[in-house]
Amino acid sequence: MTVTTPPAVLPGPNEPCWCGSGSKYKKCHRGADSVEARKRGPEPVRAGSVRPGIISPRRSVPANIPRPDYAESGKPRRSRFAESDVKSPEVLARMRRACRAAGQVLQEAASHLRPGITTDEIDAITHAAYIQRGGYPSTLNYHGYPKSLCTSVNEVICHGIPDSRALEDGDIVNLDITIFLEGVHGDCSATYFVGKVDPESERLVRVTRECLDLGIGAVKVGRPISDIGRAIEGHATKNGMSVVRAYCGHGIGETFHTSLQIPHYYEAEADTVIEPGMVFTIEPMINLGDWHHRSWDDGWTAVTADGKRSAQFEHTILVTEQGAEILTLP
Ligand code: MF3
Ligand code: CO
Ligand code: CO
């Protein structure tokens, strides 16, 4: 019998080669195997438990649904710097409706969560829910992102791609929904329990929700944007958790992500002064372990470097004289 691919456990140098030639391994395939191994590079670091599944073909959106400028090419044409973060009453009226619709789609998506459902099935349900409201799934082909929401399970921090993986009893999963409706985006997310989860995960999810609430509570006209991250980071660290540094909240409107960034940790240089009429997201990602992240080779999925769990909640908010008004409530 001839064998053409090397086994998982390779022979010692003086043992017979795996190929069946009868020669010593070091005289036969050892050289070729090490060249192949070098070409493959190191195994990706996979400290956690979630593994990539199969991504289904792209879902289509009916031609009558208005699309953002990147829907065909994947590249936004409008500059992130072009749009003011303070909205006119006319833009704000459209944003109120888009944001409420986002909250409703999130609620609908979450109502289907149960052990055994795949994240791709959640994508199909969600995709239909956007369309039913006359909206386009903002993430679809955004910089090439292939799906209609992000599903981030356990140690996945954000931008998890819906795939063939079935949710398991004890998982936590963040569903991140963004709708493009009436020419503007509304963006929100929440983390849910699948079946019965362990007490540490419950604590993580509770503290992360509190972090979002405290961040929203820190929004005050005349204060710097850095107040938001200060409030969030204080609560996370007090609870022995860490704040993800690589991803921030953002200005939003006719543009999915404007140039305005809202760090969820204290950043002295985030000195933009909060003004009435501003609209932006607050979306803290909080980890049970440390804040370092890694990216999967799909180019999207961000996971914790230590494999411990991460949770996230997000709302789009409007700055008012009284503080912040949440726009993404259903
Ligand atoms: N909704 C995410 C956010 O909160 C962005 C997802 S962009 C994607 O900003 F391309 F990853 F889907
Ligand atoms: Co989002
Ligand atoms: Co967002």
Side-chain angles (χ1 to χ4, degrees):
M1 188 186 72
T2 40
V3 181
T4 54
T5 48
V9 180
L10 297 166
N14 292 314
E15 287 172 354
C17 188
W18 53 261
C19 73
S21 65
S23 308
K24 286 180 177 176
Y25 180 52
K26 68 179 181 194
K27 300 248 168 189
C28 192
H29 270 92
R30 187 171 72 160
D33 287 356
S34 68
V35 169
E36 283 307 310
R38 222 174 301 130
K39 272 198 243 157
R40 277 198 308 276
E43 284 292 306
V45 185
R46 297 212 191 289
S49 64
V50 180
R51 297 289 176 272
I54 296 159
I55 299 172
S56 66
R58 179 151 158 199
R59 296 193 159 88
S60 61
V61 176
N64 63 310
I65 303 262
R67 294 148 202 268
D69 65 2
Y70 54 80
E72 316 305 328
S73 69
K75 295 266 160 285
R77 286 169 59 229
R78 193 143 177 260
S79 159
R80 294 161 50 239
F81 297 89
E83 181 174 352
S84 171
D85 292 298
V86 177
K87 307 306 178 188
S88 69
E90 186 274 324
V91 170
L92 185 58
R94 289 187 278 126
M95 288 204 77
R96 286 184 180 285
R97 294 190 285 270
C99 287
R100 179 177 309 119
Q104 290 168 349
V105 173
L106 177 59
Q107 203 172 42
E108 158 89 28
S111 73
H112 296 270
L113 289 171
R114 56 172 169 77
I117 195 166
T118 67
T119 49
D120 185 59
E121 288 172 307
I122 298 290
D123 184 75
I125 291 163
T126 306
H127 184 83
Y130 292 106
I131 291 168
Q132 199 198 345
R133 288 169 174 78
Y136 178 95
S138 300
T139 60
L140 190 60
N141 208 28
Y142 182 65
H143 294 286
Y145 184 84
K147 290 288 158 194
S148 299
L149 81 162
C150 300
T151 53
S152 300
V153 178
N154 298 345
E155 75 271 16
V156 180
I157 293 169
C158 63
H159 302 169
I161 302 172
D163 66 17
S164 59
R165 183 186 183 280
L167 293 173
E168 294 170 15
D169 186 40
D171 284 347
I172 59 170
V173 59
N174 174 277
L175 306 180
D176 192 334
I177 300 289
T178 317
I179 193 169
F180 180 75
L181 184 69
E182 296 191 46
V184 292
H185 301 269
D187 187 6
C188 56
S189 84
T191 301
Y192 300 92
F193 302 142
V194 180
K196 176 109 190 83
V197 310
D198 63 276
E200 266 301 271
S201 297
E202 275 185 26
R203 197 171 72 87
L204 170 67
V205 171
R206 173 176 57 76
V207 169
T208 306
R209 188 187 294 107
E210 291 165 355
C211 282
L212 173 57
D213 293 344
L214 288 166
I216 293 171
V219 173
K220 291 208 167 56
V221 168
R223 296 291 309 169
I225 277 289
S226 59
D227 275 16
I228 297 168
R230 197 206 312 265
I232 291 169
E233 186 172 36
H235 190 60
T237 53
K238 198 177 72 196
N239 282 281
M241 300 175 193
S242 66
V243 178
V244 170
R245 303 180 71 87
Y247 302 92
C248 296
H250 51 93
I252 184 170
E254 297 182 321
T255 310
F256 191 169
H257 297 95
T258 75
S259 59
L260 175 66
Q261 297 214 357
I262 319 292
H264 304 113
Y265 51 90
Y266 178 64
E267 170 59 74
E269 282 165 35
D271 58 1
T272 304
V273 175
I274 299 174
E275 286 179 60
M278 275 184 169
V279 176
F280 53 81
T281 74
I282 305 178
E283 49 181 298
M285 287 141 274
I286 306 295
N287 297 351
L288 277 178
D290 83 18
W291 56 267
H292 291 91
H293 81 282
R294 296 274 183 279
S295 295
W296 281 5
D297 52 20
D298 61 20
W300 286 105
T301 311
V303 295
T304 59
D306 59 17
K308 295 191 179 160
R309 289 182 171 195
S310 182
Q312 180 178 26
F313 287 85
E314 173 175 26
H315 275 306
T316 300
I317 65 105
L318 163 70
V319 178
T320 69
E321 295 292 352
Q322 288 73 246
E325 179 186 339
I326 300 172
L327 298 180
T328 35
L329 295 174

